[in-house]
Amino acid sequence: MHLEPSGQASADQVAGAGMPLQLDVEGGRLVLVLDRRGACGRQLWIEAAVGQGSADLTAAGLRFVEETGRHAGCQEVAFQTSRRGLVRRAERLGYQVHGFILRKAIT
């Protein structure tokens, strides 16, 4: 299953993208699907994520993914999103934008 990075996925859609991990924090819940990519699996890719609640799930989720990546021997964490607010929050946590996907519907 391929999920668009629109931030509109449901928890069921995220779980359908692979093996889901659930992170429960005070005030919220985050469901993630992670995938090792790159040469020798050096990158931990966030395939899908969806959260609910009032907690800052971006910070808590990225801390969890980074720690998971360190334990797995990965050297970086990466993800794709079209949510500008998520981009700004991730940049404040040290993430850098490394490109864009251009798309055009044709009829």
Side-chain angles (χ1 to χ4, degrees):
M1 168 185 257
H2 174 73
L3 296 176
E4 293 299 320
S6 64
Q8 303 301 312
S10 70
D12 287 339
Q13 288 171 314
V14 168
M19 178 62 72
L21 301 171
Q22 182 173 300
L23 176 64
D24 292 314
V25 297
E26 187 174 333
R29 171 175 290 158
L30 183 63
V31 177
L32 298 151
V33 175
L34 307 177
D35 183 31
R36 288 182 75 151
R37 293 188 177 178
C40 300
R42 67 181 284 273
Q43 181 184 81
L44 188 58
W45 180 263
I46 303 171
E47 186 68 40
V50 64
Q52 63 184 123
S54 60
D56 181 355
L57 296 173
T58 300
L62 290 176
R63 277 193 307 272
F64 171 77
V65 172
E66 290 167 15
E67 189 63 26
T68 300
R70 280 187 203 95
H71 285 298
C74 296
Q75 296 175 353
E76 67 180 21
V77 169
F79 63 95
Q80 176 185 345
T81 185
S82 60
R83 296 176 49 210
R84 293 174 192 239
L86 178 55
V87 170
R88 286 190 298 274
R89 288 191 303 275
E91 285 179 318
R92 285 194 295 268
L93 294 169
Y95 286 76
Q96 300 172 346
V97 174
H98 278 266
F100 299 92
I101 292 177
L102 300 168
R103 189 167 73 178
K104 178 182 179 180
I106 57 173
T107 56

